[in-house]
Amino acid sequence: MTDNPVFCALDTQNPMRASQLAENLSPHIGGIKIGMEFFYAAGLAGYQSLAANGLPIFLDLKLHDIPNTVAAAVAALCPLQPAILNVHAGGGLNMMRAASKAAKDTAEENNLTAPLMIAVTVLTSLEDEDLNQIGVSATPHDQVLRLADLAQQADMGGVVCSAHEVEALRSRCGPNFKLIVPGIRPAGHAKDDQKRIMTPEAALEAGADILVIGRAITQAVDPVQAASDISASLQSTKS
Ligand code: C5P
C-alpha cells in the first residue's frame, strides 16, 4: 500500500462519477473506499472499471452473517483483489476466524494476494445512548477494545475504529495491527451524521494507519483541492 494514509470514501451509486473522482484525486490519496451503496448499485462491472484506475480499493461491505456464509462471501470477493475487505466484529469470534481463513485459503489456492482482513468495531455514528438502546451497556470505548481483542484472536489484520480509540488500541494490540479510522473531519468542517470525530492530523498523530475520508473531500466545492490540502497537512504532521 502507498505512503498516503487517506482512503477516500466514494459514497456514490454512479460508476462514472466514482471513476472520475478516483482519477482526479489519485495524486492526492492512497486509495479509495467503496461500500454497499456503490457495490449494490454498480455491481461487478462498476467495481472492475474503478479498479482499472489502479488505486488500492478498500471494499467496505461490512459482512455480518453466520461463519459459513461470511466465509463463502469472502471467498467469492477475493478474486476482485481488494486491498482491504471487512466484516463486523459483532458477528463473533468464529465468524471472524472463518473470514480470515477463507481469505488466506482462497488467495493461496488462486495464487492471489489475500486482502487485509479488517473487523468493524463500533460504528463512528454510535454513542453511549445508541449502544444502550441495542442492549450494550459498555461505553463505545470499552466495546471497541473488547471487539478489537476478539478480532486479534481471530487473526484479523486490524479493525475499523474511531480516532478516539486509536491510542489505546495501538498500545494494546501492537504496532502491526492496522487501525482504520473513519469519522475524520478537517477543522471547522460539519460533523454530518458522525459523532466520534477527529481531524486528519490528530488521528494520524494518535497512531491511525488509514484515514477514511468521504464527504470532506467528495462534497467539497473543489474535491481535488480538499484532498490536496489534507495530504499536505498530513505530510507536515509526519515530518
Ligand atoms: O463522509 P464520511 O467521511 O463521514 O464517510 C465515512 C465513511 O466511512 C462512510 O463511507 C461510512 O460508511 C464509513 N464508515 C464509518 N464508520 C465506521 C465504518 C465505516 O463512517 N465505523
Side-chain angles (χ1 to χ4, degrees), residues 133-159:
Q133 283 169 357
I134 55 166
V136 176
S137 54
T139 62
H141 184 87
D142 290 350
Q143 185 68 359
V144 169
L145 300 195
R146 173 193 291 256
L147 292 174
D149 286 348
L150 265 191
Q152 214 168 18
Q153 275 180 54
D155 203 23
M156 300 297 284
V159 289

Side-chain angles (χ1 to χ4, degrees), residues 9 11 33 60 62 120 122-124 160 182-185 194 212-215:
D11 290 321
K33 185 193 81 91
D60 177 24
K62 299 190 177 70
V120 179
V122 178
L123 296 173
T124 42
V160 180
I184 299 292
R185 292 290 180 275
Q194 299 283 16
V212 173
I213 308 181
R215 285 162 287 185

